[in-house]
Amino acid sequence: MSGETDLIKLYSGRILALAADIPHLQRLDDPDATVKKRSPLCGSTVAVDIKVRDGRITEFGQDVKACALGQAAAAVVGASVIGATRPQIETARDQLAAMLKSDGPTPDAPFDELEVLRPARDYKNRHASIMLALDATAEAFEKAEQANCA
């Protein structure tokens, strides 16, 4: 019973509110890069389209088919990603992974609202879904740079 209660607490009102209001849910017509990531454990998927100019994301679109935790992470990423540089995206990704795996610090602004997902650290089977949006965005940024779009 305690495990069920803990899991219910994990899905806080703030996480559910974020999951219900994900920014940039429209895909881009002509992205510089597109990446789709899937969590093999739960089947969650996130597809990300980006446009990059002068080393910063200028346009962002995403298609999110994930649990509430993955949706909440995608909402924070979508709200924070415009204007971000590749190092900022990669740092946020690495900090989120450390926060989940080893109770590391909250990701730096503008991704600091990912702190809401800290309670998920005890649910390792949810980590991959939470990481999808940042993993896909980091990979898309790398692809855009390789294509000389950045």
Side-chain angles (χ1 to χ4, degrees), residues 1 33 43 62 66 69 88 91 115-116 123 133-134 143 148-149:
M1 184 70 152
Q62 59 184 339
L69 298 172
Q88 285 177 304
T91 296
E115 168 70 22
V116 72
Y123 301 91
L134 278 173
K143 284 177 73 172
N148 296 318
C149 296

Side-chain angles (χ1 to χ4, degrees), residues 44-67:
S44 292
T45 61
V46 172
V48 167
D49 300 323
I50 65 169
K51 286 193 177 197
V52 178
R53 295 294 172 267
D54 300 321
R56 295 187 178 275
I57 294 177
T58 58
E59 293 182 51
F60 181 82
Q62 59 184 339
D63 181 35
V64 181
K65 305 282 191 265
C67 66

Side-chain angles (χ1 to χ4, degrees), residues 108-119:
D108 295 339
F111 299 98
D112 50 333
E113 196 170 359
L114 290 166
E115 168 70 22
V116 72
L117 294 161
R118 185 176 293 278

Side-chain angles (χ1 to χ4, degrees), residues 103-137:
D103 202 23
T106 299
D108 295 339
F111 299 98
D112 50 333
E113 196 170 359
L114 290 166
E115 168 70 22
V116 72
L117 294 161
R118 185 176 293 278
R121 71 183 174 274
D122 296 331
Y123 301 91
K124 294 185 185 333
N125 60 333
R126 304 292 203 274
H127 291 185
S129 181
I130 293 168
M131 294 299 303
L132 288 173
L134 278 173
D135 284 343
T137 303

